[in-house]
Amino acid sequence: MRLRKNLNKYFPSDYLACKLFGLASFAVVTVAIIMPKSLAFNGPVICLFNRIINYPCPGCGLTRSVYSFFHGNFNDAYTFHHIGPIISILFIVWSFDIYLNNNSFWNKFLRSSQTIVVILLMVVWIYDLALFTIK
């Protein structure tokens, strides 16, 4: 408790969280660039939702989409997941959070873009689910 009070004097309350988020975003970009194609496309299906319900979750296809985007296959990126190219670009932008999190505009952009991505994922998933049930 005492350490936390001392750290809060020098760092904003979510300073560490912002730095870790920026680092995680940078790691996603790096891994997507160096990941072998066999791992991205032939790996095991680990989606518990997909295994139980037998229907893709909101994030199914994002790994292949982000991989395809960073390897220049933009049509494939869109085919694997409609939001994948947008998220890929945002991962690049979010990587700058390591350096820019003290700016109030940046903090507002970061929080709003994360919220918008979650909403978009859910909207696209509900739309796909509605099309799946109609078929």
Side-chain angles (χ1 to χ4, degrees), residues 9-58:
K9 282 194 270 184
Y10 301 108
F11 303 113
S13 60
D14 59 340
Y15 177 82
L16 183 60
C18 290
K19 293 293 185 189
L20 289 175
F21 183 77
L23 187 61
S25 298
F26 180 74
V28 167
V29 172
T30 305
V31 168
I33 291 171
I34 64 172
M35 180 190 307
K37 186 175 183 176
S38 61
L39 185 61
F41 289 92
N42 300 328
V45 176
I46 58 173
C47 180
L48 186 61
F49 185 89
N50 193 352
R51 287 182 179 246
I52 293 172
I53 307 292
N54 201 21
Y55 183 76
C57 74

Coordinates of all heavy atoms in Angstrom, one line a residue, residues 9-58:
K9 N 2.7 9.2 -6.8 CA 3.2 10.5 -6.8 C 4.0 10.8 -8.1 O 3.9 11.9 -8.6 CB 4.2 10.7 -5.6 CG 3.5 11.0 -4.3 CD 4.5 11.5 -3.3 CE 5.1 10.3 -2.6 NZ 6.0 10.8 -1.5
Y10 N 4.6 9.8 -8.6 CA 5.5 9.9 -9.8 C 4.8 9.5 -11.1 O 5.2 10.0 -12.2 CB 6.8 9.2 -9.6 CG 7.5 9.6 -8.4 CD1 7.6 8.7 -7.3 CD2 8.2 10.8 -8.3 CE1 8.2 9.1 -6.1 CE2 8.8 11.2 -7.2 CZ 8.9 10.4 -6.1 OH 9.5 10.7 -5.0
F11 N 3.9 8.6 -11.1 CA 3.2 8.1 -12.3 C 1.7 8.3 -12.1 O 1.2 8.1 -11.1 CB 3.6 6.6 -12.5 CG 5.0 6.3 -12.5 CD1 5.6 5.6 -11.6 CD2 5.8 6.8 -13.6 CE1 7.0 5.3 -11.6 CE2 7.1 6.5 -13.7 CZ 7.7 5.8 -12.7
P12 N 1.1 8.6 -13.3 CA -0.4 8.6 -13.2 C -0.9 7.2 -12.9 O -0.2 6.2 -12.9 CB -0.8 8.9 -14.7 CG 0.4 9.5 -15.3 CD 1.6 8.9 -14.5
S13 N -2.2 7.1 -12.5 CA -2.7 5.9 -11.9 C -2.7 4.7 -12.9 O -2.5 3.6 -12.5 CB -4.2 6.1 -11.5 OG -5.0 6.5 -12.5
D14 N -2.9 5.0 -14.2 CA -2.9 3.9 -15.2 C -1.6 3.9 -16.1 O -1.6 3.4 -17.2 CB -4.1 3.9 -16.0 CG -4.3 5.2 -16.8 OD1 -3.7 6.2 -16.4 OD2 -5.1 5.2 -17.7
Y15 N -0.5 4.5 -15.5 CA 0.7 4.6 -16.3 C 1.2 3.2 -16.7 O 1.5 3.0 -17.9 CB 1.7 5.3 -15.5 CG 3.1 5.5 -16.1 CD1 3.3 6.5 -17.0 CD2 4.1 4.6 -15.8 CE1 4.6 6.6 -17.6 CE2 5.4 4.7 -16.4 CZ 5.6 5.7 -17.3 OH 6.8 5.8 -17.9
L16 N 1.3 2.3 -15.7 CA 1.8 1.0 -16.0 C 0.9 0.2 -17.0 O 1.4 -0.5 -17.9 CB 2.0 0.2 -14.7 CG 2.6 -1.2 -14.8 CD1 4.0 -1.1 -15.5 CD2 2.7 -1.9 -13.5
A17 N -0.4 0.4 -16.8 CA -1.3 -0.3 -17.7 C -1.1 0.2 -19.1 O -1.2 -0.6 -20.1 CB -2.7 -0.1 -17.2
C18 N -1.0 1.5 -19.3 CA -0.8 2.0 -20.7 C 0.5 1.5 -21.3 O 0.6 1.1 -22.5 CB -0.8 3.5 -20.6 SG -2.4 4.3 -20.2
K19 N 1.6 1.5 -20.5 CA 2.9 1.0 -21.0 C 2.8 -0.5 -21.4 O 3.2 -0.9 -22.4 CB 4.0 1.1 -20.0 CG 4.3 2.6 -19.7 CD 4.9 3.2 -20.9 CE 5.4 4.6 -20.5 NZ 5.8 5.4 -21.6
L20 N 2.1 -1.3 -20.6 CA 1.9 -2.7 -20.9 C 1.1 -3.0 -22.1 O 1.3 -3.8 -22.9 CB 1.4 -3.5 -19.6 CG 2.3 -3.6 -18.5 CD1 1.6 -4.3 -17.3 CD2 3.6 -4.4 -18.8
F21 N 0.0 -2.1 -22.2 CA -0.8 -2.3 -23.4 C 0.0 -1.9 -24.7 O -0.2 -2.6 -25.7 CB -2.0 -1.4 -23.3 CG -3.0 -1.5 -24.4 CD1 -3.8 -2.6 -24.5 CD2 -3.0 -0.5 -25.4 CE1 -4.7 -2.7 -25.6 CE2 -3.9 -0.7 -26.5 CZ -4.7 -1.8 -26.6
G22 N 0.8 -0.9 -24.6 CA 1.6 -0.5 -25.8 C 2.6 -1.6 -26.1 O 2.8 -1.9 -27.3
L23 N 3.2 -2.2 -25.1 CA 4.2 -3.2 -25.3 C 3.5 -4.5 -25.8 O 4.0 -5.1 -26.7 CB 4.8 -3.6 -23.9 CG 6.0 -4.6 -24.0 CD1 7.1 -4.0 -24.9 CD2 6.5 -4.8 -22.6
A24 N 2.3 -4.8 -25.4 CA 1.5 -6.0 -25.9 C 1.2 -5.7 -27.3 O 1.2 -6.7 -28.2 CB 0.3 -6.2 -25.0
S25 N 0.8 -4.5 -27.7 CA 0.4 -4.2 -29.1 C 1.6 -4.4 -30.0 O 1.6 -4.9 -31.1 CB -0.2 -2.8 -29.2 OG -1.3 -2.7 -28.5
F26 N 2.8 -3.9 -29.5 CA 4.0 -4.0 -30.3 C 4.4 -5.5 -30.4 O 4.8 -5.9 -31.5 CB 5.1 -3.3 -29.6 CG 6.5 -3.3 -30.3 CD1 6.7 -2.6 -31.4 CD2 7.5 -4.1 -29.8 CE1 7.9 -2.7 -32.1 CE2 8.7 -4.2 -30.5 CZ 8.9 -3.5 -31.6
A27 N 4.1 -6.3 -29.4 CA 4.4 -7.7 -29.5 C 3.5 -8.4 -30.5 O 4.0 -9.3 -31.2 CB 4.3 -8.4 -28.1
V28 N 2.3 -8.0 -30.6 CA 1.4 -8.6 -31.5 C 1.9 -8.3 -33.0 O 1.9 -9.2 -33.8 CB -0.1 -8.1 -31.4 CG1 -0.9 -8.4 -32.6 CG2 -0.7 -8.6 -30.1
V29 N 2.3 -7.1 -33.2 CA 2.8 -6.7 -34.5 C 4.1 -7.5 -34.8 O 4.2 -8.1 -35.9 CB 3.1 -5.2 -34.6 CG1 3.8 -4.9 -35.9 CG2 1.8 -4.4 -34.5
T30 N 5.0 -7.6 -33.9 CA 6.2 -8.3 -34.1 C 6.0 -9.8 -34.4 O 6.5 -10.4 -35.3 CB 7.1 -8.2 -32.9 OG1 7.3 -6.8 -32.7 CG2 8.5 -8.8 -33.1
V31 N 5.1 -10.4 -33.5 CA 4.9 -11.9 -33.7 C 4.1 -12.1 -35.0 O 4.4 -13.1 -35.7 CB 4.0 -12.4 -32.5 CG1 3.5 -13.8 -32.8 CG2 4.9 -12.4 -31.2
A32 N 3.2 -11.3 -35.4 CA 2.5 -11.5 -36.7 C 3.5 -11.4 -37.9 O 3.3 -12.1 -38.9 CB 1.4 -10.4 -36.8
I33 N 4.5 -10.6 -37.7 CA 5.5 -10.5 -38.8 C 6.4 -11.7 -38.9 O 6.7 -12.2 -40.0 CB 6.3 -9.2 -38.7 CG1 5.3 -8.0 -39.0 CG2 7.5 -9.1 -39.6 CD1 6.0 -6.6 -38.7
I34 N 6.8 -12.2 -37.8 CA 7.8 -13.3 -37.8 C 7.2 -14.7 -37.6 O 7.9 -15.7 -37.8 CB 8.9 -13.1 -36.7 CG1 8.3 -13.2 -35.3 CG2 9.6 -11.8 -36.9 CD1 9.3 -13.2 -34.2
M35 N 5.9 -14.8 -37.4 CA 5.3 -16.1 -37.2 C 5.3 -16.9 -38.5 O 5.0 -16.3 -39.6 CB 3.8 -15.9 -36.8 CG 3.0 -17.2 -36.6 SD 1.2 -16.9 -36.4 CE 1.1 -15.8 -35.1
P36 N 5.6 -18.1 -38.5 CA 5.6 -19.0 -39.7 C 4.2 -19.2 -40.1 O 3.3 -19.3 -39.3 CB 6.3 -20.3 -39.3 CG 6.3 -20.3 -37.8 CD 6.1 -18.9 -37.3
K37 N 4.0 -19.3 -41.4 CA 2.7 -19.4 -42.0 C 2.0 -20.7 -41.5 O 0.8 -20.8 -41.3 CB 2.8 -19.5 -43.5 CG 1.4 -19.5 -44.2 CD 1.5 -19.3 -45.7 CE 0.2 -19.3 -46.3 NZ 0.2 -19.1 -47.8
S38 N 2.8 -21.8 -41.3 CA 2.2 -23.1 -40.9 C 1.6 -22.9 -39.5 O 0.5 -23.5 -39.3 CB 3.3 -24.1 -40.8 OG 4.3 -23.8 -39.9
L39 N 2.1 -22.1 -38.6 CA 1.5 -21.9 -37.3 C 0.3 -21.1 -37.4 O -0.7 -21.4 -36.7 CB 2.6 -21.3 -36.4 CG 2.1 -21.1 -34.9 CD1 1.9 -22.5 -34.3 CD2 3.2 -20.3 -34.2
A40 N 0.2 -20.1 -38.3 CA -0.9 -19.2 -38.4 C -2.1 -20.0 -39.0 O -3.3 -19.7 -38.7 CB -0.6 -18.0 -39.2
F41 N -1.9 -20.9 -40.0 CA -2.9 -21.5 -40.7 C -3.2 -22.9 -40.4 O -4.3 -23.4 -40.6 CB -2.7 -21.3 -42.2 CG -2.8 -19.9 -42.7 CD1 -1.7 -19.1 -42.7 CD2 -4.0 -19.4 -43.1 CE1 -1.8 -17.8 -43.2 CE2 -4.2 -18.1 -43.5 CZ -3.0 -17.3 -43.6
N42 N -2.3 -23.6 -39.8 CA -2.4 -25.1 -39.6 C -2.4 -25.4 -38.1 O -2.3 -26.6 -37.8 CB -1.4 -25.9 -40.3 CG -1.5 -25.6 -41.8 OD1 -2.5 -25.4 -42.4 ND2 -0.3 -25.7 -42.5
G43 N -2.4 -24.4 -37.2 CA -2.3 -24.7 -35.8 C -3.7 -25.3 -35.3 O -4.7 -25.3 -36.0
P44 N -3.7 -25.7 -34.1 CA -4.9 -26.3 -33.5 C -5.9 -25.2 -33.3 O -5.6 -24.0 -33.0 CB -4.4 -26.8 -32.2 CG -3.2 -26.0 -31.8 CD -2.6 -25.6 -33.1
V45 N -7.2 -25.6 -33.3 CA -8.3 -24.7 -33.0 C -8.4 -24.7 -31.5 O -8.8 -25.7 -30.9 CB -9.6 -25.2 -33.7 CG1 -10.8 -24.3 -33.2 CG2 -9.5 -25.2 -35.2
I46 N -8.1 -23.5 -30.9 CA -8.2 -23.4 -29.4 C -9.4 -22.7 -28.9 O -9.5 -22.4 -27.7 CB -6.9 -22.8 -28.9 CG1 -6.6 -21.4 -29.5 CG2 -5.7 -23.7 -29.2 CD1 -5.5 -20.7 -28.9
C47 N -10.3 -22.3 -29.8 CA -11.5 -21.5 -29.4 C -12.5 -22.4 -28.7 O -13.1 -23.3 -29.3 CB -12.1 -20.8 -30.6 SG -13.5 -19.8 -30.2
L48 N -12.6 -22.2 -27.4 CA -13.5 -23.0 -26.6 C -15.0 -22.8 -27.1 O -15.8 -23.8 -27.2 CB -13.4 -22.7 -25.2 CG -14.1 -23.6 -24.2 CD1 -13.7 -25.0 -24.3 CD2 -13.9 -23.1 -22.8
F49 N -15.3 -21.6 -27.4 CA -16.7 -21.3 -27.9 C -17.0 -22.0 -29.1 O -18.1 -22.6 -29.3 CB -16.8 -19.7 -28.1 CG -18.1 -19.3 -28.5 CD1 -19.0 -18.9 -27.5 CD2 -18.5 -19.2 -29.8 CE1 -20.3 -18.5 -27.8 CE2 -19.8 -18.8 -30.1 CZ -20.7 -18.4 -29.1
N50 N -16.0 -22.0 -30.1 CA -16.2 -22.7 -31.3 C -16.4 -24.2 -31.1 O -17.2 -24.9 -31.8 CB -15.1 -22.4 -32.3 CG -15.3 -22.9 -33.7 OD1 -16.3 -23.5 -34.0 ND2 -14.5 -22.5 -34.6
R51 N -15.6 -24.8 -30.2 CA -15.7 -26.2 -29.9 C -17.0 -26.6 -29.3 O -17.5 -27.7 -29.6 CB -14.5 -26.7 -29.1 CG -13.2 -26.7 -29.8 CD -12.1 -27.2 -28.9 NE -10.9 -27.2 -29.7 CZ -10.2 -28.3 -30.0 NH1 -10.7 -29.5 -29.6 NH2 -9.1 -28.2 -30.6
I52 N -17.5 -25.8 -28.4 CA -18.8 -26.1 -27.7 C -20.0 -25.8 -28.6 O -20.9 -26.7 -28.7 CB -18.8 -25.4 -26.4 CG1 -17.7 -25.9 -25.4 CG2 -20.2 -25.6 -25.7 CD1 -17.6 -25.1 -24.2
I53 N -20.1 -24.6 -29.1 CA -21.3 -24.2 -29.8 C -21.2 -24.6 -31.3 O -22.2 -24.6 -32.0 CB -21.4 -22.6 -29.7 CG1 -21.4 -22.2 -28.2 CG2 -22.7 -22.1 -30.4 CD1 -22.6 -22.6 -27.4
N54 N -20.0 -24.8 -31.8 CA -19.8 -25.1 -33.2 C -20.2 -24.0 -34.1 O -20.7 -24.1 -35.2 CB -20.6 -26.4 -33.6 CG -20.0 -27.0 -34.9 OD1 -18.9 -26.8 -35.2 ND2 -20.8 -27.8 -35.6
Y55 N -19.9 -22.8 -33.6 CA -20.0 -21.5 -34.4 C -18.9 -20.6 -34.0 O -18.6 -20.6 -32.8 CB -21.4 -20.9 -34.1 CG -21.6 -19.6 -35.0 CD1 -21.9 -19.7 -36.3 CD2 -21.4 -18.4 -34.4 CE1 -22.0 -18.6 -37.1 CE2 -21.5 -17.2 -35.2 CZ -21.8 -17.4 -36.5 OH -22.0 -16.3 -37.3
P56 N -18.3 -19.9 -34.9 CA -17.1 -19.1 -34.6 C -17.5 -17.9 -33.6 O -18.6 -17.4 -33.6 CB -16.7 -18.4 -35.9 CG -17.4 -19.2 -36.9 CD -18.6 -19.9 -36.3
C57 N -16.6 -17.6 -32.7 CA -16.7 -16.5 -31.7 C -16.4 -15.2 -32.4 O -16.0 -15.2 -33.6 CB -15.8 -16.8 -30.5 SG -14.1 -16.4 -30.8
P58 N -16.6 -14.1 -31.7 CA -16.3 -12.8 -32.4 C -14.9 -12.6 -32.8 O -14.6 -11.9 -33.8 CB -16.7 -11.8 -31.3 CG -17.6 -12.4 -30.4 CD -17.3 -13.9 -30.4

